[in-house]
Amino acid sequence: ESLLAGIDFDAQGQLTLDANRMSAVYQRVFSGHYYLVISDDQRLASRSLWDSSLNVSSLRPDEEKEYATKGPDGQSLMLVSNGYRKQNRNLTITIAEDISALQSNLMQFQLIYALVSIAGLLTLLAIQRWIVAKALSPLQEIQQNMIRLSRGEAQTIEVQGPLEITPLIAELNRLLLTMREKSRRSRESLGNLAHALKTKDRKSVV
């Protein structure tokens, strides 16, 4: 808009620009800020382009175009071109800016984001592993209790497991109690039978 306001055509139809309306950044060679004005076969470029140029084409009034390209000194440029009509003449005004620093910052951000994401993922995996290990620790204790049961060092499972397996532990303890009771009754029955047999043998001898 500043360029459009500063553009004029003299009596001979020559394209002119009031330099006072433009920022000093367009005066520094290869500053990364450039402009190019096209009207028919006339071109008016910023001093910052020096002896370089921008590969742009004329646009119709109210037409707009944005694209990226390579500029002077290998700079990565983002260009915005707009078509206008002024003093019964078509104009194409193009503004270009070096986005190398932006791309560098973007790559740096993406790298940091990737590292943070990886660190976050590893942390989540570690937390998940800890949660699973903590959740399974009662099962390991139950396993140790079962080993002691098989050795006769314990009579019940004395572990308070998660709510999901508490009914199972209770059922196992009830089963163990039932088996101990049956075993006690069997021993008593065998003892009574042995006692009865001994008594019968004695009577037979007498």
Side-chain angles (χ1 to χ4, degrees), residues 162-175:
L163 294 177
E164 293 80 3
I165 64 172
T166 298
L168 176 62
I169 296 174
E171 187 63 24
L172 285 173
N173 283 331
R174 188 189 66 78
L175 180 61

Side-chain angles (χ1 to χ4, degrees), residues 102-113:
L102 177 62
Q103 291 177 328
S104 177
N105 291 337
L106 182 59
M107 291 181 61
Q108 184 178 8
F109 169 78
Q110 291 174 335
L111 176 61
I112 294 174
Y113 179 78

Side-chain angles (χ1 to χ4, degrees), residues 70-84:
K70 286 294 183 180
D73 205 23
Q75 296 171 336
S76 296
L77 299 181
M78 177 61 69
L79 281 73
V80 178
S81 296
N82 286 85
Y84 301 97

